């Protein structure tokens, strides 16, 4: 999947509702966090692939070190794998935050669902 689709749809939605680049990059001092978490200037798919490559490299290090009975290098491989997994988790946490913000932000004027039984109309071909 092209993860840039998520970034681009949120940017498009925000701009269509009058938000600016400054709004998308705004740092909220009260919450000590950015309002939006996606790295807008970066290719999200490339960032993801880079993190996956680093994770694979860490696992390769672990396996090579185990094959040579080098416990120290094997441990380093596991540590680096853990770091990359945390990086991937943060990457997706940021996207999740922004998608939730996009569907929950009152500035975007989303309607309320009529009830808990509402389903996506079949003509969209969406499968849950």
């Amino acid at each position: 999947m092209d993860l840039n689709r998520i970034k681009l749809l949120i940017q498009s939605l925000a701009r269509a509702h009058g938000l600016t680049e400054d709004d998308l990059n705004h740092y909220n001092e009260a919450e000590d966090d950015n309002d939006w978490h996606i790295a807008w200037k970066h290719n999200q798919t490339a960032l993801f692939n880079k993190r996956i490559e680093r994770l694979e490299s860490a696992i390769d290090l672990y396996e090579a070190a185990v094959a040579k009975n080098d416990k120290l290098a094997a441990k380093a491989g596991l540590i680096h794998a853990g770091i990359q997994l945390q990086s991937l988790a943060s990457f997706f946490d940021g996207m999740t935050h922004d998608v939730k913000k996009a569907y929950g932000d009152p500035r975007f004027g989303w309607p309320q669902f009529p009830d808990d039984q509402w389903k996506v109309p079949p003509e969209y071909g969406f499968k849950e």
Side-chain angles (χ1 to χ4, degrees), residues 20-36:
T20 65
E21 194 75 23
D22 286 342
D23 293 324
L24 293 173
N25 291 306
H26 181 257
Y27 182 77
N28 185 327
E29 290 187 26
E31 293 184 19
D32 193 27
D33 199 4
N34 289 321
D35 286 341
W36 298 88

Side-chain angles (χ1 to χ4, degrees), residues 4 7 25 36-44 47 98:
N4 270 332
K7 175 184 84 170
N25 291 306
W36 298 88
H37 294 173
I38 291 175
W40 303 110
K41 295 180 182 182
H42 292 63
N43 179 309
Q44 300 304 295
L47 286 175
D98 288 0

